[in-house]
Amino acid sequence: MKSVDRGEYVDFPECAYYDVPQSIGFNATISAPYAHALVLQVLSSKLKKGAKALDIGCGSGYLCSAMLTMMGYEGKVIGIEHISDLADKAVHNISKSYEADLESGKISIYVGDGREGYEEEAPYD
């Protein structure tokens, strides 16, 4: 998590590391840092080099970037978001430091209903 600047994924960078959820617009929030840390800890055995992960409700894009970082930049992360403007915002945020990973397809963001996963990129680790 320390490798991904949370300030690039929130609307108020000066508050980026407050340990509370924060609004990212569109009636959505970015999870508190402790929640992201817990998710990454639980998934750490799966987020290895060459893995493929699905982030349902990718919101700001932060978790997608953190997952790829944990994979040593040698995996693939698919983010799916049902709010198209928020998916656009995720791409914008990710491109601040991970533009090459977006261009290469190591991170891909799609608009859709995450409750159904994203079959076109399956299977996931």
Side-chain angles (χ1 to χ4, degrees):
M1 284 182 50
K2 291 179 181 180
S3 299
V4 181
D5 183 359
R6 188 175 164 89
E8 294 181 346
Y9 299 84
V10 297
D11 292 343
F12 300 99
E14 65 275 10
C15 302
Y17 291 93
Y18 291 1
D19 206 15
V20 295
Q22 296 178 39
S23 175
I24 53 173
F26 311 101
N27 235 5
T29 61
I30 183 173
S31 297
Y34 80 87
H36 281 145
L38 179 61
V39 166
L40 292 170
Q41 180 181 19
V42 168
L43 294 176
S44 64
S45 67
K46 301 287 186 186
L47 298 175
K48 303 294 183 191
K49 290 183 179 184
K52 189 190 293 185
L54 176 63
D55 181 12
I56 298 172
C58 64
S60 70
Y62 175 82
L63 198 56
C64 291
S65 298
M67 287 177 168
L68 185 66
T69 300
M70 286 185 67
M71 293 176 192
Y73 305 95
E74 293 183 25
K76 184 168 185 173
V77 179
I78 307 302
I80 187 163
E81 175 56 55
H82 76 281
I83 302 169
S84 62
D85 288 339
L86 195 49
D88 291 342
K89 188 173 187 174
V91 169
H92 172 76
N93 291 340
I94 293 166
S95 70
K96 293 174 187 175
S97 292
Y98 293 81
E99 185 172 14
D101 298 303
L102 281 169
E103 290 174 358
S104 71
K106 289 182 180 180
I107 299 177
S108 299
I109 305 298
Y110 298 99
V111 176
D113 185 348
R115 294 175 294 185
E116 299 175 12
Y118 193 73
E119 186 66 30
E120 289 86 343
E121 292 280 355
Y124 303 97
D125 296 300

